Amino acid sequence: MQSNNKLLVKLKKITPGYLFLLPALIFFVLFVIYPMINALILSLYKVRLQSRSFIGFGNYVALFKDQNFMKSLYNTVLLVLGNVPLVLIFSFFISVVVYNKSEFIRSFTRAAFYFPAV
């Protein structure tokens, strides 16, 4: 009986938190998860104006045989592997340099970097 009371008290404590999360979860499922699953399912079909027929991974096979796609995939990977480390190193360097300066320079730099985001 004592363990049931503890469980009930714990359930009463956590229920409001889950109820507050419920609208965000519903929004996330409706506008993120459902479209992603639907797109994955649709990618397995050959879609025409009036019909669609199941072709399995045929679209993916055709995609990876396409030279334009392979070139764009190569360019994207090259861009990510080249730019991300450089931006991280540069940002770290700037933060270290600015951190050692006066409060005015730190505040000005923060404002200059964050202002375009506002």
Side-chain angles (χ1 to χ4, degrees), residues 30-100:
L30 282 177
F31 294 105
V32 176
I33 301 297
Y34 174 73
M36 286 172 52
I37 292 172
N38 198 22
L40 274 171
I41 292 170
L42 192 59
S43 73
L44 301 175
Y45 287 87
K46 182 175 187 175
V47 179
R48 296 288 178 199
L49 211 50
Q50 295 290 325
S51 66
R52 70 179 189 188
S53 57
F54 183 77
I55 59 170
F57 290 107
N59 286 332
Y60 293 103
V61 170
L63 185 66
F64 283 104
K65 286 183 180 178
D66 184 15
Q67 291 300 316
N68 288 330
F69 173 76
M70 293 308 290
K71 181 69 174 171
S72 65
L73 184 64
Y74 172 77
N75 289 339
T76 302
V77 168
L78 191 66
L79 187 69
V80 168
L81 293 178
N83 282 344
V84 171
L86 289 175
V87 168
L88 285 174
I89 291 169
F90 177 72
S91 301
F92 184 70
F93 173 74
I94 293 294
S95 68
V96 168
V97 168
V98 169
Y99 184 76
N100 293 328

Side-chain angles (χ1 to χ4, degrees), residues 8-40:
L8 190 60
V9 168
K10 188 174 183 180
L11 190 62
K12 283 184 180 181
K13 276 186 172 181
I14 64 172
T15 300
Y18 285 117
L19 289 176
F20 280 115
L21 287 174
L22 193 60
L25 183 64
I26 290 171
F27 182 84
F28 182 73
V29 168
L30 282 177
F31 294 105
V32 176
I33 301 297
Y34 174 73
M36 286 172 52
I37 292 172
N38 198 22
L40 274 171

